[in-house]
Every structure is written in structure tokens, then in C-alpha cells.
């Protein structure tokens, strides 16, 4: 089945290709598959369709497929030369063609330390040298050797960044907060709304606060404004210009702008243009993570991701977790017409994961032209959303269970945490996880509903009225991802697994998953409008709506200023 929004007058190679056509034909019968029956017919479905990787179990048996479906999907991946593309990415070829860059987040966690070349230069020594610098610096801060301008130890670290320079470090710090240094509190300042900066700065002592300005380009408006505000705050609180070096460090690729901003280049942690923003938590952008959890744990995170890289590179398609995840996503997105997919971590520590994956996935594969710039005629990036369990159950699960849309889900849980785990709480959480995935799959038939109502003592007439509202069709697909424990290594593997799933989908859809022109657009749009907002000159261009809104903002500003003046 095609999406309703396809552009029908153009045909890309993908939708005309043999593997795609075979999937279209197969879909005509596969759309009637009932997972409940598939399980009844094959008692080994779980063992056949779940994969163990270190301390992670990936169960994809609760999905709508047969062996034939999988074979068609693997044929599609082969047709798209998945292995050659993997090789091209891992070896440092410039597969991000619109920006002329390699895509080498995998080199940042290449714990085998094999040489990887970009423009004829082995990048591994520079990666190691930045890691060494991060280690030395974090040791000083964590041990208390690094002092603020009045000689006190650092107690608070503020990561100033946005998008890829915020979401990754924030998600990891929250996920691994049980490993956090007891003296250090970690804050994330991203929003240019001054309320965010005020709220954070109001809690802080300038004498003991360290700011990490994290920006790949160091030109991002929001980050520069927030960093400027933090600098002014520090100086207004009594620090001198020469004290800035004790309270500000930068993570960037842009030494010139960092220096211009007033941060000592010795306090700059470098990374490179072949690290995409949303793939950068493994780079010096992870400095905040290192300060929070320590270098050995950060290395474990890298090790876990590297292990998943090896799995992705070396396992045959049929046993390859990211490949299977990616292909099932394509099966639903392009053939069943599913528009979104939900990430449902049953773990309080993983509460930032949906927001992180939202960016990773949608910024990578939210594209409508292929690698050659040709408009495509098939649906691409899924709308990714979600929230932590059980909270989501009491909010939006209704729509997943009984709505009109097909929403494939990823349920994620760890069997234990590092905190003094209250087993009673955990058992409730785990049983909800299991019960939900089962209920989504088996649903509840009319006869089961009738029986349940009757045993609850509902009168016959009442039963018949209620039944249509209480029937669950079921057959809603889910992946279950079970970690033995949420720790740096398993988390590293989990995140790398999603990165590679996104890669697989980008390859099949023939996209450049590593540029983000939609984001770049936003970075330039405001310049002119900001100028107009701040001036009183008449505005003649823009559409009438934007012009009208601009005028109204100016009016409100003037009115509010007058009212405040009158109140004085
Ligand atoms: C990520 C995007 C984007 C970027 C932010 C911040 O892949 O490019 O989210 O990370 O716009 O950019 P800077 O790090 O350059 O400030």
C-alpha cells in the first residue's frame, strides 16, 4: 500500500525495483496475517525470532511477518548493497555528499584502534589525543583540583548547547545518573527563552560553576546567546575577565570563533566535521558525560557501542539486529502505510530516550529527495515519538490499542538497575511491560469480552452495548528490547543499535541520512526578522500574516513597556 502523499508522476529506482515489487505483491496477502495465529502455528517463533547480543535481548517475534516476508526484506537490503554501504561508512568514505564529509561516529568508539583514514590521514591518533585531554581535565574537575576564581571546587556543570550538542549528553547523563559524581550537579541549558537560563543560573554559585559551551559550529544563535548571558552573569557576580578561563571551556570544531568569544583555545576540546551533530555524543561533545560519570564509564559506553558496530558489520543480515529493526520499520512504513513509530522505555532513567531518538531518526531520514537530488515517490522517515512506561499507559496507549492507526512500537526495559532496586516496584514495571506487549498482540475478541463482562455481573443488555467499545483487535506489532542491566556498556550498544537502524533505512530509501538542510534553514531565517522586530521601521515585505504578526508583537511590546512604566 502506498502513502496518500506520494508524488505519483515520478518513479524512483527503488519503487520500481524487483525486490520492492515482490514486497508489494507479498503485502497483498501478508496484510491479513494475524500474529496470534503465527504464534499458535509455530511454538518456536520466539526462539527463531529473537537475538541475543551480549547482555541485550532483541525479540522481534511479535511482528507481522512470515519467513517469506523476511526473505523479501533481506533481498531488498541486498539489492540496496547494504554491505558495500556499511564498508563505505566504516572506512571513512565521504558518504555525506551534500556536505562533502565522511560519517565517522564509529571511529570515535573504534576500540580496536585500527587505522581509519580521512583525506589520507589516520584519524585514530587525534581521537585518542582528545580522549586523553578529556581524561586529564575531567580528573582535575572531579578530584577538586580544578578551582573556580575564588579557589573553590567546582560543584555545578552547565552544558550550553542545543540539538545534537544537547540531546545526546543530556540523555546519557540522565540514563546513567546513578553513576554521577556526588559533588557535581549537571545542568543543560539549550532554550534561548531567557526563562531557561534564569532558572538554571538562579540555582548556581558563580564561584563553583563550570560552563561547557558545546557547539560544533560555534555559530549557533541560541548557544551563543546563552553562553553570552552566562558570561555576563559570571562577570556581574564579581569575576574578572581573566577568571573566564576557570569557568568556561568549549567543545567545537571552530577554534577561530571559540577564541573570538573569549574562551582560551587551551580550554577547547576539538572534534571534526565528519562527526554529525546528532551522532556526536561519542566525541568531545561527551565531555559533560565524562565530568558526570567519569572517564572509565565513558570508555565503557564507547566499548558497548563498538561491540554493536562489530555486530552490525559482521553478522549476516538474518542475525543482524539493526538490519532487522530497519527492515521491519520499512515493512510497516512503506507497505502498511504506518506513519509513526513509538519508543517506550520502561525505565525512568531512559526518559530522555524518545526525544533523543526523535532527533536521531527524523533529522536523518526526514528527506524527500534521494542521494542524487531526485524527488522520491515513497514514504521515508517515520514520525518517532514516545514516553516512559508506565506513564504512557495512562495517557496515549489508548490510541495504540484501539485507534485507527498502525503504530509499531519498541518496548525497552532493563531487568535491574544500579540503584537500591525495590523489587516490588520493578516487578510491577516488568509485568506491565510484558502485559502490554502481549495485549497489543493478542487483543480481546468479542467472545472473550462477553465472558469477562458476564463474569463481572453485567446485565445481558448492557453487555451487548458495551462489547464494541471493549473489543481490542490486537495484532499491533512491537519489538521488545531487554537489557540485563542499564549500564554504560549496554546503553552504548543500545544507542549504536538505533544509529545503525537509521543507517539501514537511509540506505534502502537511498537518502543522505547525514545532512540536515531543514535545520540549517532555521539557523538563517531569523536574522532578518530579528532586525525588523527590534526596529520601528515600516515593513513592506513578507506575506500579510507574518507582517501582521510582526506588527502585533511590536504593539504588545510597546503596550507592555508603557504599563510597566505606569506601575513604577
Ligand atoms: C544535528 C544537527 C543540529 C545541531 C544543532 C547545534 O545533527 O546538526 O541538531 O547539532 O543545530 O549545532 P552546533 O553544535 O553547531 O551548535
Amino acid at each position: 500500500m502506498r502513502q496518500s502523499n506520494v508524488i505519483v508522476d515520478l518513479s524512483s529506482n527503488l519503487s520500481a525495483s524487483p525486490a520492492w515489487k515482490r514486497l508489494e505483491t507479498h503485502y497483498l496477502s501478508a496484510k491479513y496475517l494475524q500474529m496470534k495465529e503465527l504464534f499458535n502455528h509455530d511454538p518456536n517463533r520466539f526462539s527463531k525470532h529473537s537475538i541475543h547480543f551480549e547482555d541485550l535481548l532483541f525479540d522481534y517475534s511479535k511482528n507481522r511477518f512470515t519467513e517469506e516476508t523476511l526473505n523479501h526484506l533481506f533481498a531488498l537490503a541486498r539489492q540496496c548493497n547494504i554491505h558495500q554501504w556499511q564498508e563505505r561508512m566504516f572506512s571513512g568514505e565521504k558518504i555525506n555528499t551534500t556536505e562533502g564529509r565522511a560519517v565517522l561516529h564509529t571511529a570515535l568508539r573504534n576500540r580496536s584502534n585500527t587505522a581509519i583514514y580521512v583525506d589520507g590521514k589516520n584519524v585514530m591518533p587525534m581521537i585518542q589525543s582528545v580522549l586523553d585531554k578529556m581524561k586529564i581535565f575531567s580528573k582535575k574537575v572531579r578530584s577538586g583540583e580544578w578551582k573556580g576564581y575564588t579557589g573553590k571546587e567546582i560543584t555545578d556543570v552547565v552544558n550550553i548547547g542545543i540539538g545534537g550538542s544537547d540531546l545526546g549528553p543530556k540523555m546519557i547523563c540522565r540514563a546513567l545518573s546513578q553513576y554521577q559524581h556526588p559533588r557535581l550537579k549537571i545542568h543543560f541549558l539549550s532554550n534561548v527563552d531567557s526563562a531557561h537560563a534564569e532558572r538554571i543560573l538562579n540555582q548556581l554559585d558563580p564561584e563553583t560553576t563550570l560552563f561547557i559551551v558545546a557547539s560544533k559550529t560555534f555559530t549557533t544563535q541560541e548557544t551563543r546567546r546563552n553562553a553570552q548571558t552566562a558570561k555576563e552573569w559570571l562577570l556581574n557576580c564579581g569575576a574578572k575577565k581573566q577568571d573566564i578561563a576557570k569557568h568556561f571551556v568549549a567543545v567545537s570544531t571552530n577554534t577561530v570563533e571559540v577564541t573570538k568569544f573569549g574562551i582560551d583555545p587551551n580550554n577547547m576540546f576539538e572534534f571534526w566535521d565528519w562527526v554529525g551533530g546528532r551522532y556526536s555524543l561519542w566525541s568531545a561533545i561527551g565531555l559533560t558525560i565524562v565530568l558526570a560519570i567519569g572517564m572509565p564509564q565513558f570508555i565503557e559506553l564507547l566499548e558497548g557501542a563498538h561491540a554493536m558496530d562489530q555486530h552490525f558489520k559482521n553478522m549476516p543480515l538474518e542475525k543482524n539486529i539493526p538490519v532487522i529493526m530497519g527492515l521491519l520499520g520499512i515493512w510497516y512504513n512503506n507497505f502498511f502505510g504506518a506513519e509513526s513509530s513509538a519508543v517506550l522505555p520502561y525505565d525512568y532513567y531512559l526518559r530522555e530516550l524518545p526525544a533523543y531518538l526523535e532527533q536521531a531518526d527524523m533529522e536523518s531520514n526526514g528527506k524527500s529527495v534521494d542521494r542524487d537530488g531526485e524527488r522520491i515517490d515513497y514514504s521515508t522517515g517515520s514520525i518517532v515519538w514516545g514516553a516512559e512506561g508506565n506513564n504512557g499507559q495512562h495517557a496515549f496507549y489508548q490510541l495504540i490499542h484501539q485507534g485507527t492507526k498502525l503504530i509499531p512500537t519498541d518496548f525497552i526495559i532493563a531487568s535491574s538497575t544500579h540503584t537500591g532496586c525495590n523489587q516490588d516496584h520493578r516487578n510491577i514495571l516488568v509485568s506491565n511491560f510484558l502485559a502490554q506487549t502481549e495485549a497489543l498482540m493478542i487483543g480481546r475478541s468479542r467472545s472473550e469480552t462477553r465472558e469477562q463482562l458476564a463474569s463481572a455481573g453485567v446485565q445481558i443488555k448492557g453487555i451487548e452495548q458495551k462489547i464494541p467499545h471493549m473489543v481490542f483487535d490486537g495484532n499491533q506489532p512491537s519489538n521488545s528490547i531487554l537489557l540485563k542491566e542499564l549500564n554504560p556498556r549496554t546503553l552504548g550498544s543500545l544507542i549504536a543499535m538505533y544509529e545503525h537502524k537509521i543507517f539501514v533505512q537511509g540506505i534502502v530509501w537511498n537518502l543522505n541520512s547525514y545532512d540536515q538542510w531543514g535545520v540549517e534553514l532555521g539557523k538563517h531565517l531569523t536574522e532578518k526578522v530579528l532586525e525588523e522586530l527590534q526596529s520601528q521601521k515600516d515593513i513592506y515585505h513578507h506575506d500579510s500574516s507574518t507582517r501582521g504578526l510582526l506588527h502585533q508583537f511590536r504593539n504588545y511590546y510597546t503596550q507592555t513597556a508603557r504599563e510597566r512604566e505606569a506601575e513604577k
Side-chain angles (χ1 to χ4, degrees):
M1 196 178 90
R2 289 287 173 76
Q3 300 286 292
S4 53
N5 59 349
V6 296
I7 290 144
V8 284
D9 57 332
L10 293 168
S11 158
S12 78
N13 291 338
L14 178 64
S15 53
S17 69
W20 194 268
K21 289 279 167 209
R22 278 194 291 272
L23 274 161
E24 276 180 342
T25 309
H26 173 66
Y27 170 75
L28 298 176
S29 56
K31 66 182 171 185
Y32 300 112
L33 287 172
Q34 287 292 321
M35 286 189 277
K36 207 161 43 174
E37 287 167 18
L38 295 171
F39 273 94
N40 287 342
H41 290 151
D42 183 359
N44 297 321
R45 188 169 167 91
F46 168 74
S47 53
K48 276 188 202 159
H49 299 299
S50 52
I51 299 174
H52 286 274
F53 164 81
E54 297 194 345
D55 284 341
L56 181 154
L57 171 71
F58 172 63
D59 169 23
Y60 62 100
S61 57
K62 291 193 187 85
N63 277 290
R64 298 200 205 172
F65 66 82
T66 60
E67 298 295 334
E68 189 188 345
T69 321
L70 290 180
N71 289 336
H72 287 311
L73 288 168
F74 294 134
L76 177 69
R78 285 195 186 92
Q79 174 192 274
C80 298
N81 298 319
I82 191 83
H83 287 309
Q84 284 94 320
W85 279 105
Q86 281 175 318
E87 187 46 39
R88 293 171 84 174
M89 175 174 75
F90 279 99
S91 66
E93 203 180 307
K94 294 188 176 170
I95 60 168
N96 174 0
T97 45
T98 60
E99 296 182 305
R101 293 173 182 169
V103 175
L104 272 182
H105 44 281
T106 51
L108 300 165
R109 58 208 192 203
N110 173 19
R111 305 303 298 164
S112 317
N113 206 20
T114 42
I116 298 172
Y117 293 91
V118 176
D119 293 328
K121 190 175 170 194
N122 180 10
V123 296
M124 290 315 298
M126 26 192 225
I127 292 172
Q128 192 52 50
S129 127
V130 174
L131 281 173
D132 292 343
K133 191 170 171 183
M134 289 162 75
K135 184 176 170 184
I136 294 167
F137 175 72
S138 62
K139 213 170 157 192
K140 282 188 188 159
V141 176
R142 288 166 60 87
S143 69
E145 188 192 331
W146 185 281
K147 303 275 196 297
Y149 69 98
T150 55
K152 292 186 184 162
E153 295 176 345
I154 298 298
T155 58
D156 292 81
V157 175
V158 185
N159 187 93
I160 305 182
I162 196 165
S165 301
D166 167 68
L167 288 162
K170 183 160 68 188
M171 180 271 294
I172 300 283
C173 285
R174 300 270 152 85
L176 299 177
S177 56
Q178 64 270 41
Y179 295 84
Q180 198 169 304
H181 192 288
R183 195 187 65 247
L184 295 176
K185 280 199 230 58
I186 312 291
H187 312 262
F188 288 88
L189 173 53
S190 55
N191 201 324
V192 76
D193 185 337
S194 60
H196 197 185
E198 275 162 27
R199 205 184 160 144
I200 291 178
L201 295 176
N202 283 344
Q203 307 165 37
L204 301 177
D205 178 350
E207 296 174 36
T208 59
T209 299
L210 177 70
F211 294 98
I212 314 285
V213 187
S215 176
K216 180 175 168 179
T217 55
F218 225 79
T219 55
T220 306
Q221 192 186 38
E222 297 89 335
T223 301
R224 285 181 72 95
R225 183 57 259 181
N226 277 328
Q228 189 62 36
T229 298
K231 197 163 81 175
E232 285 158 13
W233 171 81
L234 185 77
L235 296 173
N236 289 340
C237 290
K240 304 272 167 313
K241 225 170 162 202
Q242 64 270 22
D243 297 327
I244 288 174
K246 295 184 182 128
H247 293 270
F248 276 82
V249 300
V251 180
S252 188
T253 58
N254 191 343
T255 320
V256 175
E257 284 299 325
V258 167
T259 316
K260 265 201 226 159
F261 186 82
I263 296 179
D264 182 350
N266 291 324
N267 288 352
M268 174 177 152
F269 296 80
E270 194 192 1
F271 66 115
W272 308 275
D273 69 357
W274 39 261
V275 182
R278 57 196 170 278
Y279 296 90
S280 64
L281 71 89
W282 322 100
S283 72
I285 288 287
L287 183 62
T288 303
I289 304 173
V290 180
L291 289 168
I293 64 171
M295 199 65 190
Q297 307 293 357
F298 186 69
I299 296 294
E300 274 295 299
L301 184 82
L302 301 183
E303 297 269 4
H306 179 60
M308 182 54 79
D309 293 343
Q310 296 304 306
H311 167 95
F312 178 55
K313 230 165 114 171
N314 299 325
M315 289 309 274
L317 302 184
E318 294 76 4
K319 294 272 165 230
N320 196 312
I321 301 173
V323 168
I324 293 170
M325 279 186 99
L327 291 175
L328 285 172
I330 287 171
W331 179 227
Y332 295 122
N333 184 71
N334 294 92
F335 298 91
F336 285 82
E339 287 177 345
S340 79
S341 51
V343 181
L344 309 168
Y346 275 63
D347 195 308
Y348 176 71
Y349 290 113
L350 288 177
R351 63 196 182 282
E352 300 289 341
L353 185 66
Y356 171 78
L357 291 176
E358 217 171 73
Q359 182 196 26
D361 203 312
M362 296 203 277
E363 207 169 280
S364 298
N365 286 338
K367 316 275 163 75
S368 55
V369 295
D370 68 13
R371 277 192 217 97
D372 301 317
E374 297 291 330
R375 199 157 266 278
I376 50 183
D377 65 352
Y378 43 86
S379 164
T380 60
S382 182
I383 301 162
V384 178
W385 58 283
E388 67 191 287
N390 290 357
N391 296 2
Q393 286 178 211
H394 297 265
F396 54 78
Y397 277 36
Q398 165 63 36
L399 186 143
I400 307 180
H401 279 290
Q402 286 189 307
T404 53
K405 296 180 170 61
L406 177 71
I407 303 182
T409 48
D410 286 350
F411 279 72
I412 304 167
I413 198 165
S415 84
S416 67
T417 66
H418 250 20
T419 43
C421 170
N422 179 320
Q423 201 54 41
D424 201 32
H425 280 250
R426 184 130 297 258
N427 287 344
I428 295 173
L429 192 68
V430 171
S431 53
N432 273 278
F433 173 98
L434 294 170
Q436 284 291 335
T437 54
E438 187 178 38
L440 283 169
M441 194 260 284
I442 59 175
R444 185 167 65 194
S445 67
R446 288 188 78 86
S447 57
E448 284 163 345
T449 308
R450 187 176 288 112
E451 248 172 55
Q452 283 177 18
L453 286 170
S455 61
V458 179
Q459 302 294 315
I460 299 285
K461 194 167 151 246
I463 288 181
E464 291 311 315
Q465 276 167 355
K466 280 196 157 96
I467 282 177
H469 302 280
M470 295 179 68
V471 161
F472 294 84
D473 292 339
N475 217 22
Q476 294 289 344
S478 66
N479 292 318
S480 293
I481 298 151
L482 175 57
L483 308 177
K484 181 162 169 266
E485 178 186 273
L486 178 63
N487 59 38
R489 187 175 180 97
T490 53
L491 183 61
S493 301
L494 182 76
I495 302 306
M497 176 187 86
Y498 274 104
E499 286 178 349
H500 294 318
K501 173 216 140 178
I502 294 165
F503 171 86
V504 168
Q505 296 189 331
I507 294 307
V508 172
W509 288 326
N510 193 21
L511 308 173
N512 178 1
S513 303
Y514 301 101
D515 61 10
Q516 56 286 312
W517 297 105
V519 179
E520 307 303 332
L521 172 76
K523 291 189 178 183
H524 303 295
L525 278 178
T526 49
E527 286 163 19
K528 183 99 194 104
V529 181
L530 183 62
E531 208 183 294
E532 288 164 343
L533 194 63
Q534 287 166 337
S535 94
Q536 286 307 321
K537 284 188 200 146
D538 287 336
I539 302 163
Y540 299 106
H541 53 287
H542 294 294
D543 57 90
S544 61
S545 161
T546 310
R547 212 168 42 233
L549 292 168
L550 250 167
H551 279 299
Q552 192 55 44
F553 271 112
R554 282 180 180 181
N555 290 344
Y556 282 150
Y557 282 170
T558 318
Q559 279 171 27
T560 311
R562 268 197 220 116
E563 282 160 18
R564 295 219 170 126
E565 194 53 39
E567 277 166 22
K568 276 187 193 164

